[in-house]
Amino acid sequence: MNIQHYVGKGRRTVIAGALLGLATVISSTSFAADKLVLQTTWYAQAEQGGYYQALAQGIYKKYGLDVDIKIGGPQVNNMSLLLSKRADIIINYDLQVLKGIESNFPIKAVAAPFQFDPQGVLTHSDVKSLAELKGKTILVSTSGQASWWPWLKGKYKLDAAQARPYTFNMQPFLAGKNVAQQAYATSEVFQAKKAEPSSHFFLFADAGYPAYGGILVTRNDVIQNKPDVLRRFVQASMEGWKNYLADPRLGNSIIKKENPNMNDELLTFAVGQMRKLKLIDGGDAKTQGIGVMTDARWKATRDFMVNAGLLKAQTNWKTAYTTQFIKPALDDPRYFGLHDMAIGPVASGGRAHIKAMFVAGKMVMENDQIPDLDMMELAWQAKQAVKLLQQRSMGMARIA
């Protein structure tokens, strides 16, 4: 039965009352938070700072989320935890996701906070570029053998015999003047610079290594069943990363609590490296926002893996990721305005693609973005408000 038949003459009153209460509805009504489990790859550290910042600042709470951040480590296989539904979202890597797709894992990447992999190589002062690694002993971990080493070896025509196992102990590098080793820009470089200030670090991304750094990955069933929850989680997490880069103190307070081996000096260095190397807000994120992923980057990684024999050519790489959670869905009126099925349009922008908008000579919108306006939060608030408007109108109809 059509609800409008019940409303009758009181329809205008319903609309007026609903609109008058809209601000109060949005600001004062509490909603049950949606629970999510985020599983990290390692112990708490700056490389996860954006998520801890979102937790510490109440950003997840603001988006109606209750996020439980689970700590990883050397004995934790977070892909297994995701597939067994003990985690909803994990921090992982695009190369591993593509290998998962090759094995028919029901997974997808949903955002790439790290536009560049922090991975690189540490050398002594005599090495001035990656091209000068020929003849050097290079310490490579097991995971490196299946990721960056084939790329480095192929690009600079290195010999496979140059590679030796890296055991995450820096003493062989510091003691061997003809030795280079893999390193994270945000961790091992800190130790190396303290022990040998003249050492050099070369970020692979600067030389064209296409892989993203830590990306967010979930299961297909979570995407299908909880798209709004995932959208809010991604937006809240990217806001957390933005705030962490600006002032990481709140996030770091949780990191130090969760991992006593972390200290202010190391955390300050790590955040400084993220800023300096533009690991989070560089690349495509500079113009398209933190967390962005592009077809071109995924294809470049796929092509490298296929050429290196790390991935079967027939693997459907395009199913490894989705960009639907990166930006607000402005094509969908539900996320650009309010529409109540009982009382009709409340406020709707419909389909909108705004290149630029000027008011009194000042640009107030560019490429669908309004400065300082959080479209994802507005979208969520609008959706919740519509639900309440529907409930109120139906309740008043019954009374009438």
Side-chain angles (χ1 to χ4, degrees):
M1 185 173 294
N2 193 323
I3 187 67
Q4 291 186 26
H5 293 172
Y6 279 91
V7 174
K9 294 181 179 180
R11 186 166 182 251
R12 293 183 180 178
T13 304
V14 172
I15 296 173
L19 291 176
L20 284 172
L22 182 57
T24 303
V25 167
I26 292 176
S27 62
S28 66
T29 304
S30 60
F31 302 95
D34 293 296
K35 296 182 180 295
L36 285 174
V37 173
L38 170 65
Q39 177 68 58
T40 71
T41 55
W42 201 248
Y43 304 116
Q45 55 188 350
E47 289 86 342
Q48 303 144 10
Y51 312 110
Y52 287 111
Q53 187 82 5
L55 190 64
Q57 277 194 298
I59 298 174
Y60 286 135
K61 183 178 180 181
K62 180 180 73 173
Y63 281 81
L65 300 171
D66 179 6
V67 178
D68 184 8
I69 302 177
K70 299 289 189 182
I71 297 172
Q75 306 304 320
V76 176
N77 185 327
N78 66 1
M79 183 62 77
S80 294
L81 293 174
L82 178 67
L83 294 174
S84 63
K85 299 188 177 182
R86 294 168 63 187
D88 301 301
I89 303 165
I90 63 173
I91 300 172
N92 208 268
Y93 300 94
D94 45 4
L95 278 75
Q96 294 181 26
V97 171
L98 286 166
K99 287 297 291 182
I101 295 300
E102 182 183 76
S103 299
N104 295 315
F105 289 178
I107 58 174
K108 273 186 176 59
V110 294
F114 275 81
Q115 288 295 294
F116 305 117
D117 192 336
Q119 192 69 254
V121 66
L122 269 171
T123 72
H124 297 289
S125 58
D126 61 310
V127 176
K128 308 301 182 184
S129 70
L130 290 175
E132 296 181 15
L133 286 173
K134 290 182 178 180
K136 302 291 183 182
T137 294
I138 305 174
L139 305 182
V140 184
S141 67
T142 301
S143 62
Q145 291 278 1
S147 56
W148 60 265
W149 172 243
W151 170 84
L152 185 69
K153 182 178 63 174
K155 184 175 180 68
Y156 295 100
K157 311 302 180 186
L158 304 180
D159 194 316
Q162 291 181 243
R164 293 287 187 275
Y166 176 52
T167 61
F168 297 90
N169 178 357
M170 294 193 65
Q171 289 309 310
F173 165 72
L174 295 173
K177 296 306 176 184
N178 199 48
V179 176
Q181 73 152 69
Q182 71 175 62
Y184 246 42
T186 49
S187 54
E188 286 100 337
V189 176
F190 173 76
Q191 302 171 51
K193 287 297 183 181
K194 294 197 102 181
E196 187 180 321
S198 62
S199 62
H200 292 160
F201 173 73
F202 300 96
L203 186 72
F204 293 146
D206 286 343
Y209 184 55
Y212 288 114
I215 61 177
L216 293 173
V217 183
T218 189
R219 296 185 309 276
N220 293 342
D221 66 283
V222 179
I223 293 175
Q224 181 179 356
N225 299 328
K226 299 181 178 180
D228 177 62
V229 176
L230 274 179
R231 188 184 297 278
R232 283 184 275 130
F233 171 78
V234 169
Q235 186 66 16
S237 297
M238 298 313 106
E239 186 175 327
W241 272 114
K242 179 181 178 181
N243 293 356
Y244 185 71
L245 291 178
D247 185 350
R249 286 176 293 179
L250 287 176
N252 285 346
S253 66
I254 298 183
I255 291 174
K256 289 185 290 184
K257 180 180 178 181
E258 297 290 344
N259 183 0
N261 291 323
M262 281 292 139
N263 57 60
D264 288 329
E265 186 180 15
L266 176 54
L267 288 168
T268 298
F269 175 84
V271 174
Q273 287 287 85
M274 291 181 197
R275 292 168 177 161
K276 176 183 175 182
L277 300 172
K278 299 291 185 182
L279 298 179
I280 305 293
D281 54 358
D284 295 315
K286 184 177 180 180
T287 56
Q288 300 182 53
I290 295 176
V292 66
M293 299 186 296
T294 66
D295 295 337
R297 280 289 294 278
W298 275 94
K299 186 177 186 303
T301 298
R302 174 265 178 199
D303 290 348
F304 145 62
M305 292 183 69
V306 170
N307 292 334
L310 299 175
L311 187 72
K312 295 177 181 177
Q314 65 267 31
T315 301
N316 189 0
W317 61 275
K318 288 188 176 181
T319 66
Y321 64 100
T322 176
T323 60
Q324 72 187 87
F325 303 110
I326 303 297
K327 293 181 179 180
L330 291 183
D331 287 350
D332 187 340
R334 289 175 299 172
Y335 294 102
F336 195 69
L338 303 176
H339 188 283
D340 185 281
M341 66 181 183
I343 62 177
V346 176
S348 177
R351 183 179 179 90
H353 291 296
I354 301 175
K355 180 67 176 177
M357 180 185 293
F358 293 85
V359 175
K362 179 181 178 181
M363 181 179 288
V364 296
M365 178 179 282
E366 183 178 11
N367 294 324
D368 291 329
Q369 300 296 316
I370 302 174
D372 302 320
L373 176 62
D374 194 326
M375 289 296 294
M376 287 305 303
E377 182 179 8
L378 181 62
W380 180 77
Q381 290 178 346
K383 186 172 182 179
Q384 300 305 319
V386 165
K387 288 181 180 179
L388 284 176
L389 285 172
Q390 292 171 348
Q391 294 169 4
R392 286 187 177 186
S393 61
M394 293 179 71
M396 295 182 72
R398 293 191 187 99
I399 294 174

